[in-house]
Amino acid sequence: MTVIDLITRVDAICKKYEKYDIDKQKELNLIGDDAFARLFAGFESETDALVQKWEAASTEKNRATVVAINAEIRRTKARLLEEIPKLHRLALKKVKGLSKEELEARGDLVSALKEKIESIPDGSATGPEQSTGWAASASRTGIKIDTNSGGRFTGEYFQRTEESGKFRQEYEMRKLKQDEGLDFIAEGLDTLKSMAHDLNEELDRQVPLMDEIDDKVDKASSDIKSTNARLKDTLRSSRNFCIDIILMCIVLGIAAYLY
Amino acid sequence: MASSDPEKLMSKADKLTKLTLTRWSADWRSAAGLYEQAANAFRLAKEYEKAKLAFEKASKAQEMLSSPWDAAKHMESAGAVAKELGNWNEVADFYRRASNLYIECGRSQPASDALAKGARALEETVPDEAVQLYTEACSILEEDGKEQMAFDLYRAAATIYIKLEKYPDAATILLRLGLAADNCKAVNSQCKAYLGAIIVYLYAQDFKQAEKCYNDCSQIDAFLRSDQNRFASKLLSAYTEGDIEEIKRLVQSSTVSNLDHMIIRLARKLPTGDLSALKAYSGKEQEEPLDEDDLT
């Protein structure tokens, strides 16, 4: 181990222990004092520890350790954030021997501490974005394609790596494109539906007309049949081609007139 | 005979029909034929006044021959010629007479067709008369139970009213169309008619009427289950919220594009007028009871 390493290690250890010393000193000073200061001191120490852990995580090469450290950071953050309201309430309580300005300052201290805790990156910085994306896709209730699996990916188990982030982005883009395509199809189907309905009504309208035509043509054909029969009887007497041809021409003329 | 002078034909026919000492009964049959020829010849020669007269006489001749069908046909031709001349009163008159003759034959479809033709001829110039003719045509068809054919006529009448900007009348006609559609179970046309009426009321900024109309139509099962109903409810709720963007987005949808052209044009121009006034109106209705409570 080189000297430099030794020195840095010693420095780190001293710093750690210095902190503890100061805390002990503070506690000795404040034991007769209020609960707020004690709690606040505790919070501060834990926050500093978190920051250190994050720094360690960012330098760590091993993915698994990064995962573990991030998880721990997240858990601690969640715990601290839960305790913050208690701290806040303590801050607002009046304590004897404390000036009014200090009381107000305590409130500010609490909120500053809260922001500091929240700002500690814990590897799920895009967590809120993910959750809103998921909510947005859930609200598009028209087409439900696999919305369940979207939620599981925001859990702690699936850590964010670069590849997974890109994959998620691509997945979202594809989903958007699919939704656009489906909207387009839906519009086309709407048009088809209305056209089909109109066709239906038009055909319904034409049914009685066709029936009428049917009746009339039936009547006309029966008339022609009876006329033919009568003509046959009349013509039986004289067999003459001319009359046949003339009658044929007359019938054709009537047919042409009708059409 | 086609090369004969139409004037000569006319005079010949007139002579046939006039009763004189030598002629005890008018020969309507040949007169009718001659009148028709003369009329056609006049029409070709573009002498519309004379053609019209000839057609009238031909029609009368056919009437005398107790063939109302031919008489009606001649009347229609006379009406068409009168349209060329621009005698709008006569046009309406001729077509009405033709329609009556068709009814005499017992054929309602051609009767309403004749009235529709007259209405179409008068659309540009005397739209009120045209609308009258359309409504008469519709009632003829409805009496005969042939409401299906009346749809087009109702739609045309509504279009004329919209052009005249008589929106309550247009909406009324659309509701009548819905009624006719209901009688022949044409659900799609019925729903489209009701939606059209609601849009016309909204365009005329008569929000109360539109709401009343919507409530009335919701009583009808077929409308309740339809796409048009959902669209109407979305539109009315967007109106009550005064959300202009939402309204504009809604009217771009395909439901509106399936309606009649005139109604699509109206819908695209929505929202008209002061939405905030509508909002204030609907808000006021809720505030007034509170005020009374306060006073007590």
Side-chain angles (χ1 to χ4, degrees):
Chain A
M1 218 190 291
T2 61
V3 180
I4 299 179
D5 280 329
L6 261 174
I7 293 177
T8 33
R9 268 190 150 210
V10 167
D11 274 333
I13 294 174
C14 282
K15 235 168 89 181
K16 253 198 195 170
Y17 280 109
E18 257 180 35
K19 250 180 28 172
Y20 280 125
D21 263 332
I22 292 176
D23 279 344
K24 277 215 177 103
Q25 285 172 21
K26 267 200 202 150
E27 279 188 24
L28 286 169
N29 283 340
L30 299 172
I31 267 183
D33 218 58
D34 55 344
F36 171 77
R38 260 183 282 142
L39 208 53
F40 191 74
F43 265 83
E44 263 193 342
S45 58
E46 295 208 358
T47 320
D48 289 329
L50 272 182
V51 173
Q52 268 198 337
K53 275 207 203 116
W54 171 67
E55 280 166 14
S58 48
T59 50
E60 216 11 279
K61 289 283 180 204
N62 190 353
R63 279 279 151 75
T65 18
V66 170
V67 166
I69 294 176
N70 274 340
E72 216 182 295
I73 293 178
R74 265 202 289 278
R75 257 176 262 139
T76 329
K77 254 176 77 171
R79 196 170 42 84
L80 287 176
L81 284 170
E82 269 176 24
E83 307 275 293
I84 284 275
K86 222 183 354 173
L87 188 64
H88 201 74
R89 263 175 281 141
L90 274 177
L92 297 173
K93 259 205 305 194
K94 263 186 111 176
V95 180
K96 58 175 182 221
L98 214 62
S99 61
K100 237 198 171 122
E101 294 98 20
E102 254 195 77
L103 203 65
E104 284 165 36
R106 281 191 176 176
D108 292 328
L109 278 172
V110 172
S111 28
L113 184 64
K114 188 165 170 207
E115 275 176 32
K116 197 163 152 219
I117 294 180
E118 281 179 0
S119 68
I120 296 178
D122 57 355
S124 61
T126 55
E129 287 172 35
Q130 277 183 354
S131 55
T132 49
W134 183 61
S137 64
S139 67
R140 274 176 283 183
T141 51
I143 318 288
K144 281 193 186 293
I145 302 178
D146 223 12
T147 47
N148 276 333
S149 54
R152 278 193 275 124
F153 288 118
T154 58
E156 289 179 7
Y157 191 67
F158 291 96
Q159 288 301 319
R160 283 188 64 72
T161 63
E162 263 185 51
E163 293 121 17
S164 80
K166 265 192 249 157
F167 184 72
R168 271 205 74 78
Q169 249 186 335
E170 209 187 309
Y171 160 74
E172 298 282 345
M173 290 296 297
R174 292 236 182 111
K175 220 150 79 121
L176 272 171
K177 283 221 182 76
Q178 276 181 356
D179 282 338
E180 272 177 46
L182 284 170
D183 280 334
F184 193 66
I185 294 178
E187 265 196 50
L189 280 176
D190 261 333
T191 318
L192 268 177
K193 176 178 169 194
S194 87
M195 275 205 270
H197 271 298
D198 288 336
L199 266 174
N200 187 25
E201 285 184 5
E202 190 61 37
L203 286 172
D204 280 339
R205 210 203 290 201
Q206 294 190 350
V207 162
L209 294 176
M210 296 298 288
D211 287 338
E212 247 187 76
I213 292 180
D214 204 22
D215 286 337
K216 285 195 186 155
V217 168
D218 280 340
K219 203 160 80 96
S221 72
S222 65
D223 278 343
I224 289 181
K225 273 202 199 123
S226 59
T227 319
N228 269 346
R230 266 191 277 148
L231 275 177
K232 240 195 248 177
D233 291 334
T234 329
L235 283 179
R236 196 140 297 169
S237 42
S238 58
R239 275 223 157 268
N240 207 342
F241 274 126
C242 287
I243 298 187
D244 282 344
I245 294 172
I246 290 173
L247 285 170
M248 193 73 79
C249 294
I250 293 173
V251 168
L252 283 173
I254 294 175
Y257 180 73
L258 274 175
Y259 286 116
Chain B
M1 279 262 240
S3 53
S4 275
D5 189 14
E7 295 283 351
K8 269 205 227 133
L9 290 170
M10 282 292 286
S11 48
K12 216 163 134 190
D14 281 331
K15 262 189 265 170
L16 282 172
T17 54
K18 263 206 200 10
L19 296 174
T20 59
L21 282 173
T22 51
R23 195 183 285 284
W24 290 83
S25 64
D27 185 10
W28 287 112
R29 191 168 293 279
S30 34
L34 290 171
Y35 278 132
E36 207 181 315
Q37 279 175 5
N40 285 331
F42 277 133
R43 194 171 27 183
L44 284 173
K46 303 233 190 295
E47 289 188 11
Y48 291 126
E49 190 62 52
K50 301 208 183 108
K52 185 170 63 91
L53 199 61
F55 272 126
E56 260 187 280
K57 292 208 178 136
S59 163
K60 187 148 158 293
Q62 293 287 5
E63 253 189 87
M64 294 298 173
L65 289 174
S66 351
S67 57
W69 180 262
D70 293 311
K73 273 228 139 47
H74 289 313
M75 258 311 152
E76 269 193 54
S77 329
V81 169
K83 179 177 145 215
E84 300 286 326
L85 276 178
N87 297 358
W88 308 120
N89 293 341
E90 286 193 351
V91 168
D93 193 37
F94 285 149
Y95 276 117
R96 277 213 179 90
R97 274 158 71 180
S99 146
N100 288 335
L101 286 164
Y102 279 127
I103 295 180
E104 257 185 58
C105 293
R107 309 277 294 276
S108 56
Q109 181 67 46
S112 85
D113 279 344
L115 287 175
K117 261 189 250 178
R120 219 166 298 141
L122 292 175
E123 248 174 16
E124 302 290 316
T125 45
V126 194
D128 293 313
E129 191 64 34
V131 162
Q132 276 278 68
L133 288 172
Y134 272 130
T135 33
E136 280 176 26
C138 296
S139 34
I140 291 178
L141 284 173
E142 274 175 357
E143 273 171 23
D144 216 24
K146 293 208 178 101
E147 292 103 352
Q148 293 263 6
M149 310 295 166
F151 292 168
D152 289 325
L153 300 171
Y154 276 127
R155 274 196 273 261
T159 313
I160 297 182
Y161 270 135
I162 291 176
K163 258 196 258 185
L164 290 175
E165 301 197 359
K166 288 197 184 146
Y167 296 118
D169 293 325
T172 320
I173 289 249
L174 285 168
L175 291 172
R176 268 179 72 180
L177 171 55
L179 180 61
D182 193 40
N183 284 341
C184 41
K185 308 276 173 274
V187 175
N188 200 33
S189 289
Q190 184 183 14
C191 302
K192 290 205 289 204
Y194 288 145
L195 184 58
I198 294 176
I199 288 180
V200 165
Y201 276 132
L202 284 176
Y203 187 79
Q205 303 180 32
D206 200 350
F207 186 67
K208 258 189 76 184
Q209 274 291 347
E211 269 200 329
K212 258 204 317 183
C213 187
Y214 174 69
N215 289 335
D216 288 337
C217 300
S218 312
Q219 310 282 340
I220 302 173
D221 261 344
F223 183 70
L224 206 55
R225 280 185 262 125
S226 70
D227 285 339
Q228 282 86 359
N229 184 27
R230 270 185 278 133
F231 179 81
S233 66
K234 271 192 265 187
L235 191 61
L236 284 171
S237 55
Y239 250 89
T240 43
E241 286 166 20
D243 192 351
I244 298 189
E245 286 307 314
E246 178 72 13
I247 294 176
K248 287 215 173 85
R249 197 180 58 84
L250 276 178
V251 300
Q252 296 299 328
S253 79
S254 54
T255 319
V256 167
S257 315
N258 297 333
L259 299 173
D260 221 9
H261 289 300
M262 292 298 289
I263 302 184
I264 298 179
R265 247 181 276 169
L266 288 185
R268 297 276 150 89
K269 290 202 206 130
L270 281 177
T272 52
D274 206 6
L275 267 182
S276 54
L278 289 171
K279 224 162 86 163
Y281 181 79
S282 50
K284 229 196 320 173
E285 281 186 355
Q286 292 165 359
E287 277 173 22
E288 281 178 14
L290 286 174
D291 280 340
E292 286 177 39
D293 285 350
D294 281 347
L295 286 172
T296 55

